[in-house]
């Protein structure tokens, strides 16, 4: 198994040789390939767009994209123009779609690079087609319907005008409408009435567009949760994000459970570090800022050199567990910017011992899902917030 480091973004990129690669988010690219393969099977015939926005949900966008393509994805999805251009500049030629921008962004360059763009309003179609004329290449457009999330997309009342704008741009040779699409609000709650309602509204939007003469290559609606549980949402293309990284979009409480678990998804990220120090202290000692933890007896403390600047939530103070020396240990006292402390009692630990903060759970370490539940958030936030100071290292590159 080979191990490669992806030069991290941010201010530390030119001092890689000083980074400790024992403190790292280890990314199992074989797991990403495996997960994409499972999702493709589950999508029964639909093509798969792997969503790699937000630095591949914190896993590293370019390596995650390569792994997803190797696993059978045929599209990549990102939020911003900059993310799309990062994929192109890394030499990735697969279809890339991008969906979140404000007026005045550099559409011309992105169209020239052959990136597909979402359009949710007549004004946006017009701005993008003007940029296409400058780029000397038709824009590839996906018209976005708001089927009930009330974020981007044309509401049903504005949809026919958006379809007309797409048809006009196509007739003038400035665009090809290659997609019709929308996004789900409550797919992670199977049976939520919004799911049926969104399917209905999107179905109607597709009918209106096709009746008006649009013949898109792909109609797409399903995020991870809908890919797993809502067959009617799969259409021609599914757009999973979180499940590509092996995290369950519909977790049931506890370390295991949910449709992602049943399918065999495998978490791709393991966050590890090494103890910077182990030392004995007496009873009644206050630990870390604010003394929010006090030792109850003479004990051994371990110092973990990761903190909230690295994405360890400060709300994890006296709450989250990490795995050290064969067991889970609760964080003792306040999570600081760069470090936190654990109390191991009379167990034997030493500086340099491995700390597993979260991972797939194989050795008994917590999962990102368990951290999320303890904090009252979702696993997406745990993995995407891992900071720029943590190098990502890659296993399974050639597997
Ligand atoms: C982030 C995102 C996805 C992926 O959602 P998951 O819940 O991570 O599967 C799909 N489509 C759009 C438009 C998104 O913004």
């Amino acid at each position: 198994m080979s191990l490669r480091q992806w030069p991290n973004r941010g201010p530390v990129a030119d001092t890689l040789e000083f980074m400790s690669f024992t403190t790292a988010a280890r990314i199992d690219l074989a797991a990403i390939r495996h997960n994409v393969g499972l999702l493709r099977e589950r999508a029964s015939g639909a093509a798969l767009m792997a969503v790699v926005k937000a630095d591949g949900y914190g896993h590293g966008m370019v390596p995650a994209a390569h792994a997803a393509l190797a696993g059978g994805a045929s599209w990549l999805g990102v939020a911003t123009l900059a993310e799309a251009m990062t994929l192109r500049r890394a030499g990735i030629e697969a279809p890339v779609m991008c969906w979140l921008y404000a007026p005045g962004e550099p559409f011309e360059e992105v169209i020239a690079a052959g990136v597909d763009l979402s359009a949710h309003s007549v004004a946006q179609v017009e701005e993008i087609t003007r940029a296409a004329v400058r780029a000397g290449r038709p824009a590839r457009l996906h018209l976005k319907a708001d089927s009930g999330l009330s974020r981007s997309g044309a509401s049903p009342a504005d949809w026919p005008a958006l379809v007309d704008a797409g048809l006009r741009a196509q007739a003038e040779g400035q665009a090809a409408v290659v997609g019709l699409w929308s996004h789900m609000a409550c797919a992670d709650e199977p049976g939520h009435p919004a799911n049926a309602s969104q399917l209905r509204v999107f179905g109607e939007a597709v009918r209106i567009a096709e009746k008006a003469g649009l013949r898109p290559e792909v109609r797409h609606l399903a995020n991870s949760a809908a890919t797993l549980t809502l067959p009617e949402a799969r259409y021609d293309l599914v757009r999973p994000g979180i499940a590509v990284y092996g995290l369950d979009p519909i977790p049931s409480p506890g370390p295991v459970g949910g449709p992602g678990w049943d399918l065999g998804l495998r978490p791709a990220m393991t966050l590890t570090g090494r103890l910077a120090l182990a030392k004995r202290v007496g009873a009644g000692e206050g630990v870390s800022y604010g003394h929010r933890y006090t030792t109850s007896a003479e004990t051994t403390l371990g110092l973990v050199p990761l903190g909230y600047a690295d994405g360890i939530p400060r709300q994890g103070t006296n709450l989250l567990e990490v795995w050290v020396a064969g067991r889970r240990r609760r964080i003792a006292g306040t999570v600081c910017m760069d470090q936190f402390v654990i109390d191991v009692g009379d167990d034997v630990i030493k500086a340099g011992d491995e700390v597993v903060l979260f991972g797939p759970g194989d050795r008994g370490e917590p999962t990102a899902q368990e951290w999320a539940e303890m904090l009252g958030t979702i696993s997406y936030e745990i993995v995407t917030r891992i900071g720029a100071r943590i190098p990502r290292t890659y296993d399974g590159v050639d597997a």
Side-chain angles (χ1 to χ4, degrees):
M1 180 136 24
S2 63
L3 181 71
R4 275 188 222 156
Q5 286 108 28
W6 175 249
N8 217 23
R9 67 220 184 283
V12 290
D14 56 358
T15 48
L16 272 182
E17 71 270 34
F18 296 103
M19 288 179 116
S20 151
F21 285 95
T22 55
T23 295
R26 299 170 62 100
I27 310 302
D28 181 357
L29 294 175
I32 292 179
R33 284 197 301 276
H34 163 84
N35 296 332
V36 168
L38 292 177
L39 289 161
R40 277 216 61 196
E41 278 173 35
R42 179 56 66 98
S44 47
L48 188 143
M49 174 188 291
V51 178
V52 296
K53 64 191 179 188
D55 200 28
Y57 288 46
H59 295 64
M61 181 167 60
V62 171
H66 282 297
L69 292 169
S74 45
W75 293 68
L76 298 169
V78 292
T80 70
L81 300 184
E83 290 172 329
M85 291 307 289
T86 300
L87 292 171
R88 282 289 181 259
R89 288 184 180 174
I92 291 174
E93 291 171 358
V96 171
M97 176 187 174
C98 153
W99 51 69
L100 193 61
Y101 21 79
E105 295 202 24
F107 297 108
E108 183 183 334
E109 291 78 356
V110 176
I111 293 165
V115 170
D116 289 23
L117 294 168
S118 172
H120 58 226
S121 68
V122 173
Q124 204 170 52
V125 170
E126 289 171 355
E127 182 176 15
I128 292 172
T129 51
R130 282 195 301 275
V133 171
R134 293 195 302 277
R137 175 172 181 171
R140 289 171 50 88
L141 290 181
H142 298 242
L143 302 184
K144 173 98 186 262
D146 180 359
S147 56
L149 176 61
S150 301
R151 290 196 329 201
S152 69
S155 8
D158 298 327
W159 179 250
L162 181 60
V163 167
D164 283 347
L167 281 165
R168 255 193 327 276
Q170 209 165 246
E172 288 162 10
Q174 296 156 354
V177 176
V178 297
L180 303 173
W181 76 298
S182 189
H183 192 42
M184 308 279 301
C186 306
D188 58 338
E189 295 176 56
H192 193 290
N195 296 335
S197 158
Q198 286 199 264
L199 282 170
R200 213 165 35 243
V201 174
F202 183 62
E204 184 58 19
V206 167
R207 269 190 298 282
I208 289 170
E210 291 179 345
K211 194 156 168 246
L214 287 176
R215 295 288 174 268
E217 287 168 28
V218 285
R219 302 157 301 172
H220 49 109
L221 178 62
N223 58 5
S224 296
T227 301
L228 294 184
T229 62
L230 261 187
E232 315 91 291
R234 289 173 194 149
Y235 281 90
D236 310 304
L237 177 69
V238 295
R239 299 191 311 271
I242 197 72
V244 166
Y245 308 99
L247 297 168
D248 202 324
I250 312 179
S252 58
V256 298
W261 178 270
D262 293 343
L263 186 63
L265 294 179
R266 184 164 169 77
M269 182 188 290
T270 301
L271 183 61
T272 65
R274 294 207 178 265
L275 291 178
L277 175 71
K279 69 177 174 193
R280 291 293 282 178
V281 300
E285 296 291 343
V287 175
S288 192
Y289 289 135
H291 283 178
R292 291 166 70 189
Y293 181 86
T294 305
T295 58
S296 53
E298 187 183 327
T299 191
T300 300
L301 300 180
L303 181 63
V304 180
L306 291 111
Y308 61 77
D310 304 300
I312 313 307
R314 191 167 177 278
Q315 293 94 324
T317 294
N318 284 331
L319 176 67
L320 291 178
E321 293 176 340
V322 302
W323 185 95
V324 179
R327 277 192 44 194
R328 291 194 186 189
R329 323 277 179 174
R330 179 152 297 138
I331 293 177
T334 302
V335 174
C336 310
M337 185 183 292
D338 314 304
Q339 49 194 303
F340 64 83
V341 175
I342 54 170
D343 180 348
V344 303
D346 291 329
D347 289 356
V348 178
I349 56 168
K350 58 182 188 315
D353 280 356
E354 185 180 29
V355 182
V356 184
L357 290 92
F358 60 80
D362 296 347
R363 280 188 284 176
E365 76 278 11
T367 59
Q369 176 57 33
E370 286 179 271
W371 270 30
E373 274 162 32
M374 299 196 84
L375 294 160
T377 184
I378 53 177
S379 62
Y380 300 62
E381 190 178 1
I382 301 299
V383 290
T384 56
R385 71 191 298 170
I386 299 307
R389 195 160 61 175
I390 304 297
R392 274 62 170 170
T393 68
Y394 294 95
D395 293 314
V397 178
D398 305 312

